[in-house]
Amino acid sequence: MKQVEEILKKNHLSVTGSRQKIMQLFLNSNGALAHADIEKKTGESFDRVTVYRTLQSFVEKGIIHLIPTRDNSIKYALCKDDCEAGHHHDNHVHFICDECSKTICLDDVTVPQVKLPKGFTPQHAEMVVNGICEECK
Amino acid sequence: MKQVEEILKKNHLSVTGSRQKIMQLFLNSNGALAHADIEKKTGESFDRVTVYRTLQSFVEKGIIHLIPTRDNSIKYALCKDDCEAGHHHDNHVHFICDECSKTICLDDVTVPQVKLPKGFTPQHAEMVVNGICEECK
DNA sequence: GTAACTGCAAAATATTTGCATCCTT
DNA sequence: AAGGATGCAAATATTTTGCAGTTAC
């Protein structure tokens, strides 16, 4: 079975054209995608609304997740490990290249613990690093 | 001279009513504010457009900065140290309370360094921690 | 007085919702 | 066949822009 189908089925989503195409986009790009990227890359082949709804259901199922960025543009990323393992652990560092502006999931770099002031209880931490990526250096 | 005026003048912005009010909001709340918060708290006393433009110029001058959040809602925060020192160093951790959903600048907690894979050069790192804050615990 | 700021109107964008139709299971 | 997904239209919401009038310096 194709990887795309597998992922969709595992998450109890029916396998439709738009979902397959969008999921394939994520699998191809090892970075993160914004809503606009997705509309562009699929060549306007389906409705803007479908993109919204597809992304939303992917997020709900935990297949992709939002990445916080410094300029607060909204990006989504699928992280290989998560999806193949079937359980979600997105506590890795995200890297955004200042040169090519790609967003990359550093699956192997986990977010370090920090000591918080008295009274604060941490639950989840997110970390985003900006700089120059592997390809642009 | 009032603190608000001082900050504005130091950053070469003319001292106007809206700027004073909005700056005061930031000084009063030790957390972060979203565009909507600002419109609400000023009691609609000035135009939505003015809020946009005021926030934009504050960001440009480095008086406030955007905080990346997990849900990508846009929040702005002014951080005391930065402004009083006149130079910007927003490399501290931000805390978002899951209970009261306030965003707090932990000025004393600096973002830890992480080891990146070969080829990646870090320039700036941002960290956001979710959990329960001091007041809600 | 001049340059910068504000508010209004309106344009441009982005996002959400309802509903009829079509596709997947 | 039944439920879910899609696409279109339209309603909302958000952000940007132009311009005339006002204010700060």
Side-chain angles (χ1 to χ4, degrees):
Chain A
M1 199 192 310
K2 271 173 56 191
Q3 191 183 5
V4 167
E5 275 189 54
E6 207 176 313
I7 294 170
L8 292 175
K9 287 195 176 159
K10 188 157 50 191
N11 288 283
H12 311 100
L13 289 171
S14 43
V15 179
T16 65
S18 47
R19 285 182 180 157
Q20 289 184 77
K21 271 195 214 161
I22 292 177
M23 180 56 65
Q24 193 62 58
L25 279 183
F26 278 109
L27 289 173
N28 292 346
S29 88
N30 74 328
L33 300 173
H35 178 98
D37 297 330
I38 293 165
E39 274 193 74
K40 256 180 261 159
K41 293 204 187 176
T42 58
E44 311 288 332
S45 55
F46 32 69
D47 204 83
R48 177 187 297 266
V49 177
T50 301
V51 176
Y52 278 112
R53 290 197 269 227
T54 302
L55 288 173
Q56 190 180 302
S57 48
F58 283 1
V59 170
E60 275 167 13
K61 296 294 182 184
I63 305 175
I64 61 178
H65 60 268
L66 284 161
I67 297 182
T69 58
R70 252 214 303 167
D71 65 346
N72 272 281
S73 59
I74 299 181
K75 299 210 172 182
Y76 301 87
L78 163 151
C79 295
K80 294 160 210 132
D81 291 350
D82 299 349
C83 296
E84 283 169 12
H87 61 93
H88 209 56
H89 61 100
D90 60 350
N91 63 328
H92 55 267
V93 172
H94 292 109
F95 189 91
I96 301 175
C97 181
D98 292 331
E99 193 69 28
C100 63
S101 73
K102 258 196 231 153
T103 302
I104 299 156
C105 293
L106 302 176
D107 295 289
D108 299 328
V109 184
T110 50
V111 176
Q113 299 263 323
V114 287
K115 227 189 232 138
L116 300 177
K118 220 172 147 55
F120 290 88
T121 311
Q123 211 97 85
H124 179 93
E126 207 48 86
M127 187 164 178
V128 187
V129 181
N130 280 77
I132 306 297
C133 81
E134 207 179 8
E135 291 174 18
C136 296
K137 72 146 186 288
Chain B
M1 197 193 312
K2 272 172 56 190
Q3 191 184 5
V4 167
E5 276 188 52
E6 205 176 314
I7 294 169
L8 292 175
K9 287 195 177 161
K10 188 157 50 189
N11 288 283
H12 311 100
L13 289 170
S14 42
V15 179
T16 66
S18 46
R19 283 180 182 162
Q20 288 183 78
K21 272 194 212 162
I22 292 177
M23 181 54 66
Q24 193 62 58
L25 279 183
F26 277 109
L27 290 172
N28 292 347
S29 89
N30 74 328
L33 300 173
H35 178 98
D37 297 329
I38 293 165
E39 274 191 75
K40 257 179 261 161
K41 292 206 187 174
T42 58
E44 310 288 334
S45 55
F46 34 67
D47 203 84
R48 176 188 296 266
V49 177
T50 301
V51 176
Y52 278 111
R53 289 197 271 226
T54 302
L55 289 173
Q56 190 180 301
S57 47
F58 284 0
V59 170
E60 275 166 12
K61 294 296 182 182
I63 305 174
I64 61 177
H65 59 268
L66 284 161
I67 298 181
T69 57
R70 252 218 296 170
D71 65 347
N72 273 281
S73 59
I74 299 179
K75 298 209 171 183
Y76 301 87
L78 163 152
C79 295
K80 293 158 212 136
D81 293 349
D82 299 349
C83 297
E84 282 167 12
H87 60 92
H88 209 57
H89 61 100
D90 61 350
N91 63 326
H92 56 266
V93 173
H94 292 108
F95 189 90
I96 301 175
C97 181
D98 292 331
E99 192 69 28
C100 64
S101 74
K102 257 195 232 154
T103 302
I104 298 154
C105 293
L106 302 177
D107 294 289
D108 298 328
V109 184
T110 49
V111 175
Q113 299 262 324
V114 287
K115 226 189 233 134
L116 299 178
K118 220 173 148 58
F120 289 89
T121 311
Q123 211 97 89
H124 179 94
E126 211 41 88
M127 188 163 176
V128 186
V129 180
N130 280 76
I132 306 297
C133 81
E134 208 179 8
E135 290 175 18
C136 296
K137 74 148 185 290

